[in-house]
Amino acid sequence: MKSKIDSQQEESNTDNDFSEMSDTQIRRRGPAPKKVVTKNKLPNLERNIPIIIKNNNFVVRTIWTIVMILGFMAVLWAGHIYIIGLVLLTNIGIFKEILGLKRNYEKEVNVKYSPIINWYFFGIATFFCYGKLFQSKLSEYAFRMHILSYILNYHNIITFMLWVAGFLMFTLSLKKGYYRYQFRMFGWTHITLILVVAQSSVMIMNIFEGIVWFILPCSLVITNDIFAYIFGVSFGRTPLIELSPKKTWEGFIGGCFSTLVASFCFAYFLQGSQYLTCPQHQLPFSPFASLTCEIPSVFITTQRFLPFSIFGIDSIYYSDFQLHAMVFSLFTSLVSPFGGFFASGFKRGIKIKDFGDTIPGHGGITDRMDCQILTGMFSYLYLHQIVLPKAVTLGTVLGYVSQLSSNEQQELFEQLKQTLSIVQ
């Protein structure tokens, strides 16, 4: 009998014989026996982990999408003051997320007042933006409160002196060895305030001209995002921009045309609600309060004759608001997506996936608002420069009256009384 050692040597010699044999000899003798290698198969659970995680993320994302939509609708119907609160909370979340990208918590242990100073500057920016709101939209309300009227009269100088106080605090807090970090955070804070807080705060001024001017731009951004995704997945072949490899020209163009049509339909349904279209010049704190007014002319549907007949139709009915909505749709389709591209490039530059994890399944608040911020500024400028008539209102008159002295206000009152008595 062969020993175990002899058999092993024989196997090795057989392998060596095959390595030294010519191709002709191998064909005659046949190929070397294949060694059977058994692979350790992964259990089904381990192989399906990526699919399970992906499905869980989809479920979480869907649930929080529904929660956000329902919450947004509830805030809209609660009233203007609650929408202001929502915008303010959004500003706080965006500022916190962007500020956190550059914060170094180890260094802030030795620079104790750095985060306090950053948030102090945020408070000043908010005071400035909201003060402008009261000056332009709520002068009638502020005229009845002496302290508020005094603050608004000297709003600009008060804001500047508050900023100077923050500047002094920052200078006194400078510490050797941390100068570069402190100045970097100082510049980062102010850039964030200018690009984010100032632009998003003008949305509030749109709200007081009618909630519809707040709903329409926001809904069009969402609509364009949805249809661009649908067309991109269904027909996308041509890449649009390197910053977002999944974006395609087919999705971009399809989203644009879909949003254009949707804007005309949205405007038709939204203009029928007085609660959404009526301007507001007060701050009612009671939620879900009704609001009635004389419908502004921009929301009134009128008959418009076509230059030529189409299938026997020579006129159509639509309002100016529907035309303005189509202009909004062009901006939200052609320009607003670049706010998202800008954010994508920024995240790639600092090598992060999301700005935060505030919203489960969606990332941070900034990830959801990157397109809305740019749209809000355009809405404000378009609304106040093109849509609204440049007329003197009671609120603006009372705003100027509040800046007069007591004697001048009394003299104005006497002159008005004489004028009214002559008219009667």
Side-chain angles (χ1 to χ4, degrees):
M1 294 180 65
K2 295 181 181 179
S3 64
K4 187 174 182 181
I5 298 175
D6 295 337
S7 61
Q8 288 179 353
Q9 288 178 351
E10 187 175 344
E11 281 185 20
S12 61
N13 292 335
T14 304
D15 294 338
N16 293 334
D17 291 341
F18 270 96
S19 61
E20 296 176 356
M21 292 170 65
S22 65
D23 293 340
T24 305
Q25 291 174 328
I26 290 176
R27 281 196 299 269
R28 291 176 180 174
R29 184 171 178 176
K34 295 182 179 180
K35 295 182 179 180
V36 179
V37 180
T38 58
K39 296 182 179 179
N40 295 327
K41 295 185 178 180
L42 293 175
N44 292 333
L45 180 60
E46 293 184 13
R47 286 187 295 173
N48 294 333
I49 281 179
I51 300 176
I52 295 173
I53 293 175
K54 185 176 181 179
N55 291 336
N56 288 337
N57 290 339
F58 176 78
V59 171
V60 172
R61 187 183 181 91
T62 303
I63 292 174
W64 276 95
T65 299
I66 297 173
V67 170
M68 287 190 293
I69 292 174
L70 295 178
F72 182 68
M73 294 176 61
V75 171
L76 288 179
W77 290 109
H80 297 71
I81 189 67
Y82 298 96
I83 301 175
I84 293 177
L86 175 64
V87 175
L88 179 59
L89 289 176
T90 303
N91 285 347
I92 292 174
I94 294 174
F95 183 75
K96 178 178 178 295
E97 289 176 355
I98 296 181
L99 203 66
L101 298 177
K102 288 293 183 180
R103 289 185 64 182
N104 188 319
Y105 295 92
E106 294 180 0
K107 292 183 178 180
E108 288 185 359
V109 173
N110 298 317
V111 188
K112 297 181 180 179
Y113 300 105
S114 179
I116 298 175
I117 294 174
N118 294 333
W119 282 101
Y120 175 81
F121 283 122
F122 173 83
I124 295 173
T126 304
F127 171 78
F128 177 76
C129 295
Y130 282 63
K132 289 297 182 183
L133 164 68
F134 274 88
Q135 282 183 330
S136 60
K137 302 299 180 186
L138 301 173
S139 299
E140 181 180 352
Y141 183 82
F143 181 73
R144 303 171 186 174
M145 302 177 63
H146 180 71
I147 297 178
L148 184 58
S149 177
Y150 178 83
I151 293 175
L152 294 181
N153 290 339
Y154 302 98
H155 174 254
N156 292 337
I157 186 65
I158 292 174
T159 303
F160 177 72
M161 294 310 298
L162 290 173
W163 183 89
V164 169
F167 175 77
L168 295 177
M169 286 189 293
F170 169 78
T171 305
L172 293 174
S173 68
L174 292 173
K175 189 173 182 180
K176 186 177 180 180
Y178 300 92
Y179 294 151
R180 178 174 297 182
Y181 172 74
Q182 288 180 282
F183 278 104
R184 185 189 300 123
M185 291 303 299
F186 182 83
W188 188 254
T189 299
H190 282 73
I191 291 175
T192 305
L193 294 176
I194 294 172
L195 294 179
V196 177
V197 178
Q199 292 196 50
S200 59
S201 295
V202 299
M203 295 180 183
I204 299 174
M205 298 187 184
N206 298 344
I207 294 170
F208 283 88
E209 294 299 338
I211 298 178
V212 68
W213 298 109
F214 175 74
I215 296 178
L216 181 66
C218 294
S219 61
L220 290 180
V221 170
I222 298 172
T223 301
N224 180 72
D225 192 28
I226 292 173
F227 280 102
Y229 174 78
I230 293 174
F231 278 89
V233 171
S234 303
F235 309 103
R237 296 293 183 274
T238 311
L240 174 64
I241 188 170
E242 186 178 353
L243 290 172
S244 296
K246 294 183 180 180
K247 304 293 183 181
T248 61
W249 275 105
E250 291 81 3
F252 186 78
I253 296 172
C256 179
F257 281 102
S258 301
T259 307
L260 188 65
V261 175
S263 65
F264 193 83
C265 300
F266 285 169
Y268 175 77
F269 289 104
L270 293 175
Q271 68 186 7
S273 172
Q274 288 194 8
Y275 175 78
L276 298 178
T277 57
C278 288
Q280 177 65 276
H281 300 291
Q282 295 182 351
L283 280 177
F285 288 90
S286 56
F288 308 106
S290 60
L291 184 63
T292 58
C293 67
E294 182 180 353
I295 300 177
S297 60
V298 69
F299 300 109
I300 298 176
T301 302
T302 57
Q303 185 180 13
R304 316 293 176 96
F305 290 94
L306 299 175
F308 52 87
S309 178
I310 302 176
F311 300 109
I313 301 174
D314 57 357
S315 65
I316 57 176
Y317 289 84
Y318 61 89
S319 65
D320 291 338
F321 176 63
Q322 289 175 280
L323 295 181
H324 295 311
M326 296 179 74
V327 175
F328 278 108
S329 71
L330 291 176
F331 185 88
T332 56
S333 301
L334 301 177
V335 180
S336 296
F338 284 84
F341 300 154
F342 177 86
S344 298
F346 182 83
K347 288 186 287 186
R348 289 174 181 272
I350 59 177
K351 298 180 180 179
I352 60 171
K353 181 181 179 182
D354 297 315
F355 283 99
D357 55 358
T358 307
I359 308 173
H362 289 268
I365 298 176
T366 312
D367 295 289
R368 302 273 65 82
M369 294 297 295
D370 47 11
C371 298
Q372 298 284 1
I373 295 173
L374 196 61
T375 306
M377 177 60 73
F378 171 78
S379 303
Y380 168 77
L381 295 174
Y382 184 86
L383 176 61
H384 289 81
Q385 294 292 319
I386 297 177
V387 178
L388 296 179
K390 296 175 177 58
V392 178
T393 63
L394 178 61
T396 56
V397 172
L398 290 177
Y400 289 117
V401 172
S402 64
Q403 300 178 21
L404 302 176
S405 63
S406 300
N407 293 333
E408 291 173 333
Q409 291 179 4
Q410 184 65 31
E411 183 180 353
L412 176 63
F413 174 74
E414 296 296 334
Q415 291 181 359
L416 286 175
K417 188 164 63 173
Q418 292 177 7
T419 303
L420 292 174
S421 63
I422 292 173
V423 173
Q424 292 177 352

